[in-house]
Every structure is written in C-alpha cells, then in structure tokens.
Amino acid sequence: MRPSIVLLVAVGVLFAAGTTLLLERTLTRVLLGVMLLGNGANLLVLAAAEPGSPPIVGTADQAEMTDPLPQAMILTAIVITLGMTAFLLALAYRSWRLSGHDEVQDDAEDRRVRELAERDEGSDAEDLDTDEAETAEVRT
Amino acid sequence: MLILLAAHLVAAVLAPMLVRVLGPRAFYLLAAAPLAAFGWAVTHREGEWIHPWVPDLGLSLAFRVDTLSWLLMLLVGGVGALVLAYCARYFAPGTPGLGRFAAVFVGFAGAMLGLVASDDLLLMYVFWELTTVFSYLLIGHSGTARPNRRAALQALIVTTAGGLAMLVGIVILGRHAGGYRWSQVAAALPDGPVLTVAVVLILCGALSKSAIFPVSFWLPAAMAAPTPVSAYLHAAAMVKAGVFLVAGFAPMIAVAGGPAASVWRFLAVGLGLVTMLVGGWAALFQDDLKLLLAYGTVSQLGLLTAVLGFGTAGTALAGVAMLLAHALFKAALFLVVGIVDKTTGTRDLRRLQGLGRRAPVLATIAVAAAASMAGLPPAIGFVGKEAVFGALLGAGAAGWVTLAGVVAGSMLTVAYTARFLWGAFATKSVTVGSADTASVRARESVLGPRDHPAQDNHGVGDNRSPGNGGGPGDGAGPGAGSGTSSPALKGGGVEGGPARDAAGSLREAGVVPVVAVTPTVPAPAGSLLVAPAVLAFAGVLAGCLAGVVEGVLSPYHRGFEDAGGVAHLALWHGLGVPLALSLLALAGGLALFRWLPAWKAGPGLGGGVYERVMTGMDRLAVEVTGATQRGSLPFYLAVILVVLIATAGPALVAGWPGRTEFRLWDTPLHLVPVAVSIVAAVFAVPARRRLTAVILVGVTGYANAGVFLLHGAPDLALTQFLVETVTLVMVVLVLRRLPSHFSQRPGPWRRRVRVGIGVAVGTVMAGAGFLAMSARQALPVSVAYPEMAVPYGGGHNIVNVILVDIRAWDTMGEVAVLVAVATGVASLIFRQAQRLSRRGPVESPSEPPRDEPVWLMAGHTVEAGRRSTMLEVVTRLLFHVIVLLSVYLLFTGHDTPGGGFTGGLVAGLALIVRYLAGGRYELAAAAPVDAGAVLGAGLLIAVGSGAAALVAGGQVLQSAVLDLHLPVVGDLHLVTSTVFDIGVYLIVVGLVLDVLRSLGAEVDRHALARSADHDVEQGTEHERRPQEELV
C-alpha cells in the first residue's frame, strides 16, 4: 500500500512531543506525554488501513470498506489510555498531597549507591567489612 | 548404589526428628548410613551401575567403582560413620540447631559418596556442588557469629568459582568426546590448546576445592565449623575431592602427553609444593591447635596434589597411599583436638598444661596418629612418604626438583607435628619469665616435667616448683606412648618448647593464663576416644600391612603407561636413599622446632588477596550500579529511547527501499485536523500553565477524532470524542487542586537533550511506519470479516463484532484492566481501606428546602455562590435523555456505530454532568450504588456470558443469534454477545463513577478538610476534624 505522508507527519510530531514530555520530571507532564504518545500510536495504526467507507455491512460495497481490524485495536487502545490517564492522575494527585508537588524524585536507595560511588566507597554489604566484623564480635 | 544414596537422603530427612526424640544419641543411628556405604564398599571392589536420568541431555545416573573411588568410598563411609558416632558424645543434649546439623552432615556424607562414585562427569559436578553447599551450611553452623558467616561465605565463593571453571572444562572435554562418562572422556581427549585449556580449567576446580595455593586461605577460616565437621569435611572428605579429581585425571593426562601434560604437571606439582611449604611454615606459628592442624592440612593437600599430579606410576601409588594415610591421621588428630577442647575448654596451646599426664590414652592416640603425620614407622604415613621419595628419585630432573620440595615440606611437617604434640600434651614452663629463667626451666624440664599449680605461672622468675613430678618415663611427657618413634622427638618436645616460647612471650607475660590440668578437670570420656583410636590405629595397621595395601591399590597406578619410577609400599626398603631422606626430614624438622625463631606472625595464605578481590568486586558493583542505576525515571526512559533510536534508526536507513511510492494525503481534508493536531502538540510541550497544556493535548485528541471520521471510522471518532471529554473533566478535577503552573523548568541544556531525543523518536516512528506500510504485500487478515460478520457474529457493525465476538478475548482483557485501574485509582485516593466505603453513595446531609423549586435532588448542598440555576435546569432536562441515548448506543451498537464502550462513556458523561451541577451528594443521588459493585457486576456479566457459551456446548465467548417475534413490539433480533457488551458497558460506567467518587467527591472532601483545618489554625470556631481525616 502507499502510505499517506500527512498522517505520518502527524504521527512523527505527536511522538516527538509526547516523548519530550515523557522525559520530564513533573508527573502531569509525563501524563500529557503518555496521552500524546497514545494519540500518535492510534494514528500510526490507523494509517495502516486504506481509507474507505465505514465498515458497516449493508451501507457500502465491501471493496470500498476500510479495514475494520485496526479500528477495533484503536478502540481498545483509546479506552485503555483513558484508564492510564485516570491512574496517572491519581498518582500525581497523591504525590502532590504527600509531598506538595508532583515531581518524580530519584529513588533514595539508588541515590545512596550513587553517592557511595562518588565517594569511592564500597557497599556496606554484610560479611565483607573486616573491621565491622570485629566490632560485632566484641559486642556479642 | 542408588539405594546407598537414598539411605543417606532418608537419614538426612529423618535426622531432625530423630535428634529431637533421641538427642545426640541419634547420631549413632545416623551413622548407619555411611557405615552401610563402608560395608558395601568392602564387598564391591569394582563395578558399574547405570540408570538413565535425562537422556536428552546425555545425563545418566552412572556410577562406577574402581580402585580410586573404592578407596575414597571406604574413607568417606568409614570416617563418616566414626565421626558421626563421635558426634553422639561430643555434643551435649539440647545443643541448639543440632537437628539441622545432623541432617546437613548426613546429607554431606551422601553427596560425597555420590561424588566419588559417579561415573558421569556432569553427575559428579552436581554432587561436587552439593558438597560445597553442605560445607557452607556446616561451616556457618553457628550463623549468629559474623566471623562464621564470613568463613562460610568465603569457602562457598572460592570453591564455587573454581567449580564453575571446572564445569566449563568438563563441558569442553564432554562435547569433544560426545559423552560425559569417565571412560568416554578418557577415550577421546581433544588435542592441542583445547586440551590445555580444559586441563587448566579442571585444575582450577580441583585446586580450589583442595585449598591449594593461592586459594588456601579458606580452609583455615573454615575451622569456624564444629570440630567433627573439620575432622570429616576438611580433613578426610571434601578437601579430598580436589585431590580425587587430580588423581582421576592424572592417568588420562599422562597418557595424552604433549603440552597439556606439561602444563598440568607444572601447575599441579608447582602449586602443590608451594602450598606444602607455605602451609607447613604457617602451621608452625599457630597457637590454636585446630588452626595448626588446618594449616597442616593445607600443607598435606599440597603434597598430595603434587605427588598425584606428577603423573608417573610410582608417584600415583605413593600418592594414593599418602591419601589414605592423611585421611586416617588427620581426622584422628582433629577428633583429638575436639576432645582436648571439650575436656579443658581451650585449644590454645599456650594455655594447655600437662594434659598428657592426665589423659595418657588420649595422648597415646594422638602420638600414634602424629607419627603417621610426621612419617615415622610403622605408620602408613612413613610407608607413603618413603614411596614418594623412591618414586621421585627415579623420575628424572623434574623428580629431583620435586623431591627437594617434598623433603623440605616433610621437615616442616615434622616440626609442626612436634609442636602439636608438645603444645597439646606437654607439661611446660611457659609464658612468663626472662629468657634466662626460661632456659633454667628448660633444663629443669629435661630432668622431668613438673606439676604446675596455676599460681606458679603468675610469679615472674619464680623458679621454685612444688615438687618434682617424676621422670620422663611416667607417661606425662609429650613423648609418652611414642615408644615406637624416635626418642629425639621426646627430647625436642620438652626442650625446644620453653626456649622458643620464652623469647617471644615477654610481651604477653601474664596475658595468657594457663589452664593447669588438675584433677578437677575430668578425664575425657572413654567412648569419645573410640573414633580417633580406630582411625589412628588403622593408620598404624595399614603401615604394618604395607604389602597388602599395595596389592589392593595397585590397579590404580597400572593406568599409567610409564615404566620408570615404580615404587613399592613397604616398611623396610633397606638402607637406601629414601630412608636417608626420611631421617633427614626427621632431623631437620626437630631442629627447626628446637630453634625456631620466635616470630609471632606467620605468613598469610593469601586471605588478604581474597579480601582485596571481594572489596574490589564490591567497589566495582557500586560503581557500575551508581553509573547505570541512577534511580532517575527520566534517565531510564532516555536510555530506553536512545536504544530505540540507535537500533531502529540505522536499521531504517539500511533497509530503506530504493524506490518508494506514497501519496501526500488520502483526502486534502485531512490537512485540517492534522494541522490542528500538530500545532497543539508543538505548543503543549513548552506550556507553563497546567490547564493550557491539558487543553492543548485535548485538542490533539479531538483532532484525532476528526481524522478517524474522515478515514471511515465513525466508531472511533465517537469513542475518541467521548473519551477526550471524560479525560478533560478528570484532569481538570485534579488540576483544580494542583498548582496552576508547572514547577521550575530544567536548564536549557537538559531541555535541548529532551527535545533532541523526542524529535529523533518521532522521526524513527514515522520512518518505521512508512517503511512498514511500503513493505506491506500480504492481504489483511480481516479481509473475510465483512462476510463473516452477519452470519456468524449476528451484527452489521464489523468493528463491534470484532470487539465482542471475533476478538472478544482482547476485550475481556481490556475490561479486566479497566477494573484494575479503577480499583487502583480508588486505593490511591482513599488511602485507607475503611474509607473505601465512600466509593458508595453518601447520604445527603439535609432535606431539600420546600420553599423553592427543586431541579436537582442535592442542589441545595452546593454553596450558594457556586450554584447555577441554569446548569441545574439543563441537567434536569438532559440527564435522562443522555442515559436513554447511552442505552440506545449499547443495544444498536452491533449494527450501527456505538456499542458497550461508547454507551458506557455516554452514561458516564451523564453522571459527570450531575456531579458538576450538584456536587458529590448529587452524584450519590444519581447513582446510589457502590462503584465497586458496578464494576464487579460488569465483570461478572462479561465473564458469565463467555462461560455460558461454554456451558451451552460452544466455545468460550462464542455468540448465538436469537430472532424472536414478539407481539406488539415486533421482531427482536437478539445476539448473545450483546450480554457481553452489557458487561463492558457496566464496567465503563463503573470506571467513570469510581473516578468521579475518587478524583471528584473525595478530592472535594480533602479540600474541605484542608480549609477547615486552615480555619482552626486561624482561631475560628470551626469544629476541628479528626486528624486522620486530613490525610
């Protein structure tokens, strides 16, 4: 089939904008990014079908009908995106209530490891540190 | 053979129960398992037992007994049974964790038996690792002490690392030979570098298991285990596994020859000798008797590896004799140390005093075993060592070099043997006094050891000893019972000790109290002595029957093809070089013990390297984790996206077709929604106000609906339109509580990176779409759907038929996701389980006033300033119409655009309108049900309609068409899949209701609570809400 350039340009722009927002730290922006990505993906799937008349038997000749399968998939995707949106919204709201903002923070434990690496220290993994072992022995 | 292994397994499983019932006496019962193995081995000199296991992998439960494995089976079974019997008396009743200990110990015995008896190398590897794991559990038996855990972990890591290398070596050999049986591998060894690599890898495993330099350090640390474990695992059994492997491969390698054999000999002999010397030297400096034996074991394992790895018939015979000798005497000595420890409460040879006099039987046993260790006649140790000397003498230049090492090592062995006996049993004048005093004492002690009441050791320079205990012959001296050995040992033991100790003891004078073995310390229980006595005298007996031993062991060394260097096992070889060397070793060792410089710190065994390697690994892990696991969501996403760009991008460029056909647009009308969408998306990215960004994103959604409509997808357009509206409402409901602007934007540099990645991803996706569509050749799978829709699906709207019939499983999954999402949203907002009841309707707090027109049931609950009569009227007029429309869409969706999804969304919109006009109480009045109940009912109906088809004899979710002619109403065209669609409808309604109750009503309550709290803080008289309401 011959792809439609206009649709693909729209797909590209939606993906670009969605990805850029997805990489932000604000949960609301991430949510908007997901919504844009969803819209872009829906268009991409739609572009896979030749346009035509609605796939309703009896209203048009079968040869002129557009492919119904991508439509069914997109329909599912639209509703799933609705669920995703609701969930991310609840997350953003909860984050705001708990911490006063909806930024995604770095994982505290990972940050600790990173700081260890920057200070050139080892982990405090058990049974590796000799000194600690001795003090533990004294304590017991 | 399988029965024997099963017996061990059963014993191990039953062990905890037996110990609970019988206490330590259960060990007597458990000893039956290894004893059975011993007895079986006595009657089965050789044979093969093969049972298929995993034929596809070439794995079989193949067992084979030949001379080498037979010998080891005897040792594993015999020593195991004796040590278990010893345990019965060694452990006090009620020792914590004894049941587990017994189970693991017996399990180990079984694994060891399997290891030496298995003929399949992979099977052997399984047992090999089992012994490692059991050893880990036994060393770490007292897991509460950190040093024990460290020691256990260290042993596990070192031996497992070696074992993995060995596995690779085994696989190399097995792949080449086409099978993993010893016989197959031996018959088809690879040649050239492949063999060399395999040999080195296998040596890695063997040497790590047997604690050969440079990984010897784990064995002394493993002495954290209870003494019976040391006696069995770390003297007789497990550490012998490596030696066993060396002995097993040595004939093959020797026959194969070539560079691999040279490398093998160089590594095994070289490292073995280094281990022997380093271990022996370190043993000289140990004050803990058990550690002394442990370093001695390291040294002996070095000797065994060197001799067995040397690879001639003579050394092979001498090596297996030494292997037998070592297992017997070292296990016996460990058990002796256990008795010493149990009797006196210490293993520190600086604190032990005169034990030999108090426990002559124990001392006799120790001396008999030690004689074998030092290589004195008539013990088997002497026979073996003589054979080693003899075999190496006839083996050329390499033999001479090795011989020199072995003789030097033997001197060390004699020296630490003397130190052991002196330390454990001698009556010494130690730890205090100047060198002068010490020498006086040394002279005195030659005359005869004295009794040492404890106080005597605290007076510095106090030479007056109360009474003289008697002459050297009264059984108290270290040489007591060693009548068969050289008298020089006695002299050395008594004389050398104090002199050497005095020099180094000044700085710790008075620090180490001496345990004087006075009559208050009980003599060791007789039954404890049985096991070491049997082992020690078995060693002497074997020495006396050297000829018989040779006859039994000789099949092993016949595997070598060389003729040179043949040795024989005999007590008396005549006056030859071997005897001279034995005497040289004896004399040198005693001299070493006598004049040993009093260096307190012995050489390490590379434990520091292990520490450094482990610390280095840990550091590396921290660096790698710190560099890759940033804990930052944007970082992770960026990595994923960059990988997408880096992999798919070049692939797109490489696979781009030379000629492409495309069209600019399907219809120029497309330009309108697409342009709107593009502009909105581009401006949504930098928007600073939340509402602006949300609306712009919403615009792209509506624009999509336009594209759908133009493309011939009215269902999609309808759904998209409704979803976009519901989404917008949801987002705004939350946004009213969030700050109006986004927080600070990141710096320009980061922003550019993000935009860069975004643009690249967009380009890749559009390009991939272009390529995929250009490459499309096959017919769509849906080409037959239009014909199938009406006869099979009973509907004209093909999209809906796909959703509820053809691909109903997809829809089933999707509605399940929706239920999960709704529940998740409610959990996130309500936070506490009991408040989830608010998902249900809440009663309006007051009756509507009677003096004004009532448009909405709960309109009066809205604050006066926020009420809009217009909205209330419109809502009143439209609500039922919208609900009716939703039902219409639901039921006609099968033939015209619509369906469960769109119907549900429309009904949801109706609820939204009620909520917006009248608040949360109005929502409760509009939908007086629990959102969870609606969701559950929907799911039940959807699943139930699918299952009903199953009950009716069809497939899950299969639909049937019913055409009924009803009077008055007319023809009713009923498709069962409509029931499924009703479920979908209810779930979508439930989702919207749940979201409204959570993000709408509950968020309202949060806001109210917060403002009420605010008022209280400002001193107004509002009733303060309970604190938990606020969070």
Side-chain angles (χ1 to χ4, degrees), chain B residues 230-463:
Chain B
S230 307
Y232 189 42
L233 271 68
H234 305 132
M238 188 179 93
V239 290
K240 290 293 192 312
V243 175
F244 166 72
L245 199 68
V246 170
F249 272 103
M252 291 185 210
I253 309 291
V255 170
S262 310
V263 170
W264 165 276
R265 178 182 277 191
F266 178 77
L267 282 179
V269 176
L271 293 177
L273 286 180
V274 170
T275 311
M276 184 180 191
L277 296 175
V278 173
W281 184 248
L284 284 174
F285 298 94
Q286 303 305 320
D287 287 328
D288 184 336
L289 289 174
K290 200 170 159 189
L291 272 184
L292 193 157
L293 287 183
Y295 281 99
T297 306
V298 169
S299 172
Q300 293 283 332
L301 290 170
L303 170 68
L304 290 174
T305 308
V307 173
L308 285 169
F310 193 82
T312 65
T315 57
L317 179 63
V320 286
M322 279 308 290
L323 193 152
L324 169 67
H326 180 250
L328 294 176
F329 70 69
K330 194 52 69 68
L333 288 176
F334 267 115
L335 295 181
V336 165
V337 169
I339 296 173
V340 169
D341 191 8
K342 200 172 162 58
T343 316
T344 65
T346 183
R347 300 192 308 251
D348 190 326
L349 54 75
R350 291 167 301 179
R351 298 175 64 184
L352 287 165
Q353 186 61 276
L355 184 62
R357 170 174 298 179
R358 300 252 63 92
V361 180
L362 182 66
T364 313
I365 293 168
V367 166
S372 188
M373 178 152 85
L376 299 178
I380 180 76
F382 171 76
V383 174
K385 209 158 269 183
E386 291 263 297
V388 171
F389 293 151
L392 288 175
L393 274 173
W400 281 97
V401 175
T402 313
L403 186 62
V406 172
V407 171
S410 299
M411 288 184 190
L412 292 171
T413 308
V414 171
Y416 70 70
T417 308
R419 179 171 163 78
F420 174 82
L421 286 177
W422 166 80
F425 298 106
T427 305
K428 338 159 235 215
S429 50
V430 284
T431 67
V432 272
S434 64
D436 280 343
T437 329
S439 61
V440 170
R441 291 184 175 207
R443 259 178 276 119
E444 280 181 359
S445 49
V446 178
L447 299 173
R450 304 158 299 163
D451 276 325
H452 275 265
Q455 75 271 15
D456 185 30
N457 301 286
H458 297 294
V460 174
D462 182 6
N463 280 332

Side-chain angles (χ1 to χ4, degrees), chain A residues 3 5-6 28-29 48-50 57 62 67 71 76 93 97 102-103 106-107 110 114 117 121 123 126, chain B residues 149 618-619 623 629-631 663-664 690 700 711-712 743 745 758 776 782 787 796 798 814 1006 1030:
Chain A
I5 294 300
V6 168
T28 316
R29 279 214 175 96
E50 299 269 1
V57 181
Q62 282 185 15
D67 189 347
Q71 293 194 25
T76 312
Y93 176 73
R97 268 178 71 74
D102 63 340
E103 306 259 304
D106 282 2
D107 186 274
D110 289 338
R114 220 163 66 203
E121 285 176 10
S123 78
E126 207 190 350
Chain B
R149 292 204 302 274
D618 183 47
R619 282 283 309 123
E623 286 294 337
Q629 195 167 326
R630 314 287 298 182
R663 53 190 164 200
L664 275 180
R690 282 176 206 268
T700 66
H711 209 83
S743 38
R745 300 280 298 182
R776 187 164 179 176
S782 53
E787 281 111 42
H796 292 80
I798 305 173
E814 185 196 1
H1006 291 168
L1030 300 176

